[in-house]
Amino acid sequence: MTPYKLVFVFYLLVGGWAAPQGQTWLPVPADMKASVEDAARNAVDALSLRQLFSDSANFARVVSSAHLPHEPSHFYIVMDVDKGGQMKLVPIEVYKEDNSWKLLLAVPGKNRKESAPETLTSLTDIWREVPTTHSLVLEAAPEAERLLRTYIFEASSSPPTLVKVLHSETRTRDIASELAYLIDSKEANEQEVQDAAANIIRFQRQLVEKLSTKATALDDAEKTTTGTSASTGLVDSLDLEVDMLNHKIASEEERQARRRAEAERASEAAKLLQAQVTETQQELVNASPSAPASYLLMVATFETAAVPIATSFNKLILMYKTSGGSW
C-alpha cells in the first residue's frame, strides 16, 4: 500500500481572518458588493448542506471582503454567521467556476510545505475544490482512516471508522510562480547584502572620525588645565556616539550574514527546482508547467463505536506527497 503522510488538525472553520499570504488582494469595490453577498450566502448554504457547521447556520452579513485582481470572481470573505443563535465570524475563500460558486476553507496550516524547495516558496498555491468522488480523494480516504487508527488512536479499544468525506480540495504546484519567487528572493537578498556592506563602510568611516575627534579632545584636556570640564563632556558625548556606531556596525554585519545565507538558500532551491522541471520534462511528453496535484485537503466524518453510544467527529486532514514521490 502506498505510504502516506498526514497532518491532522481539529476542524474549526473560524481560522485566521487575514487574507491568505502570497497573493495581492484588493478591497472589493462598491459595484461588486452584490456578488460578494451572493457568494457569501451560497457559501453558508453549501457549508450547511455539507454538514460542516455543528449547528444550524444562517448568513447574517459580510464583515469584510477582498478579491484577486487577476481573478475578479475570487473572493476572500469574512462574514457574520448565526450558528445556533450565536453570531460567529467565519472566513471563507470563494471563487466562481462554470457559473457556480466553489469553496476553499480558510484554515491554519493549509499552506504547510514539507519538501524542498517548496519550503522556501511563497504561498501562491493553486487550491481548487474537487468533488468528494475525485480519484485522489478515493485513493487517499482509506489511507487517512488507516493512519488515523495506527498513529492517533493506536491505544483505543474502539478506533474510528471513516463515514464520509464532506469536503475536499487539491493544490497544484505552480512551478513558474515558485521559480520566479525564488529568483526574486535571491536578488532581493543579494541587494540587502550590498546595502549592508555600504552601511558598514559608512559607519566605519564615521567611527574613525569620532575616534580621531575623541583622541584630539583627550590630548587637549591633558595639555590644558582650563576647559577640562568641557573637554570631559565632549569625550563622554563621543563615547556614546562611538558605542552607537559600533552597535550599528554589528547590526549591519549580522544583517549581511543573514541575508547572504538566505540568498544562498534561495539560489540552491532554484537550482533544485529547475532540476526537477528538467527531470519532469524528460519523463513527460508535452509536460504542463504545473505539476500534478500533490496536496489534498479534506474534511471527513469519523465514527467510533464507543459504549454506550457511538460518537462521531469531523477532522480536517492535509495529505501531501513527499519529495521522494510517495504519499
Side-chain angles (χ1 to χ4, degrees):
M1 188 172 289
T2 306
Y4 282 77
K5 284 192 175 183
L6 298 181
V7 176
F8 290 100
V9 184
F10 283 104
Y11 176 62
L12 292 174
L13 188 59
V14 180
W17 300 339
Q21 302 175 30
Q23 302 192 68
T24 301
W25 294 87
L26 299 177
V28 171
D31 61 352
M32 294 173 64
K33 296 290 186 182
S35 294
V36 171
E37 183 165 326
D38 179 57
R41 290 182 181 276
N42 275 273
V44 173
D45 291 343
L47 291 169
S48 298
L49 183 64
R50 298 174 196 181
Q51 302 174 330
L52 294 182
F53 287 132
S54 57
D55 301 301
S56 61
N58 294 288
F59 169 80
R61 69 186 182 99
V62 173
V63 177
S64 65
S65 58
H67 75 98
L68 293 176
H70 61 279
E71 196 176 347
S73 294
H74 191 138
F75 303 117
Y76 180 82
I77 304 170
V78 178
M79 54 188 172
D80 269 335
V81 176
D82 184 344
K83 296 173 65 177
Q86 291 187 329
M87 204 66 70
K88 300 289 186 181
L89 277 174
V90 176
I92 193 75
E93 209 172 325
V94 187
Y95 66 96
K96 182 163 279 190
E97 184 177 274
D98 298 329
N99 292 321
S100 63
W101 292 109
K102 304 294 184 181
L103 306 183
L104 298 174
L105 300 183
V107 291
K110 185 174 180 178
N111 286 303
R112 179 187 176 116
K113 294 184 172 68
E114 293 297 328
S115 58
E118 285 190 282
T119 50
L120 297 179
T121 66
S122 67
L123 303 185
T124 53
D125 301 320
I126 305 173
W127 282 99
R128 284 294 182 263
E129 180 188 341
V130 294
T132 55
T133 54
H134 189 280
S135 59
L136 197 64
V137 179
L138 297 177
E139 177 189 351
E143 279 298 290
E145 179 184 78
R146 184 185 70 81
L147 290 171
L148 185 66
R149 286 167 166 254
T150 302
Y151 297 108
I152 308 299
F153 291 90
E154 69 275 15
S156 174
S157 58
S158 55
T161 300
L162 191 149
V163 179
K164 62 179 176 179
V165 176
L166 305 175
H167 175 82
S168 52
E169 304 172 16
T170 59
R171 178 174 79 79
T172 300
R173 287 180 60 186
D174 186 344
I175 292 179
S177 293
E178 290 182 24
L179 189 57
Y181 176 85
L182 290 170
I183 293 173
D184 288 346
S185 176
K186 172 179 174 290
E187 292 176 350
N189 280 297
E190 287 175 343
Q191 184 60 51
E192 289 278 346
V193 170
Q194 294 178 14
D195 292 344
N199 286 338
I200 289 171
I201 292 173
R202 179 163 57 86
F203 292 146
Q204 286 175 336
R205 287 174 178 170
Q206 293 176 6
L207 180 62
V208 170
E209 292 174 359
K210 298 299 179 184
L211 289 174
S212 176
T213 303
K214 177 183 174 181
T216 301
L218 289 172
D219 186 55
D220 290 344
E222 291 178 358
K223 292 179 179 179
T224 63
T225 56
T226 60
T228 303
S229 177
S231 297
T232 301
L234 176 60
V235 170
D236 291 341
S237 175
L238 288 168
D239 281 339
L240 290 175
E241 293 183 47
V242 166
D243 289 342
M244 183 175 64
L245 285 169
N246 280 324
H247 176 75
K248 287 182 177 180
I249 291 171
S251 178
E252 288 298 317
E253 288 175 341
E254 187 275 333
R255 171 194 172 200
Q256 186 182 47
R258 184 178 70 255
R259 294 298 187 177
R260 182 179 289 114
E262 291 176 1
E264 291 173 355
R265 289 175 64 235
S267 178
E268 288 303 313
K271 291 177 183 178
L272 178 57
L273 185 57
Q274 287 172 325
Q276 290 179 351
V277 172
T278 300
E279 183 179 354
T280 300
Q281 290 173 339
Q282 290 173 348
E283 293 177 353
L284 301 175
V285 178
N286 298 323
S288 167
S290 293
S294 57
Y295 280 67
L296 171 68
L297 179 141
M298 60 184 178
V299 180
T301 298
F302 292 84
E303 187 175 80
T304 59
V307 178
I309 59 173
T311 303
S312 63
F313 58 91
N314 290 351
K315 280 278 190 183
L316 183 144
I317 303 170
L318 176 63
M319 306 183 73
Y320 58 89
K321 188 176 290 184
T322 67
S323 58
S326 62
W327 281 96

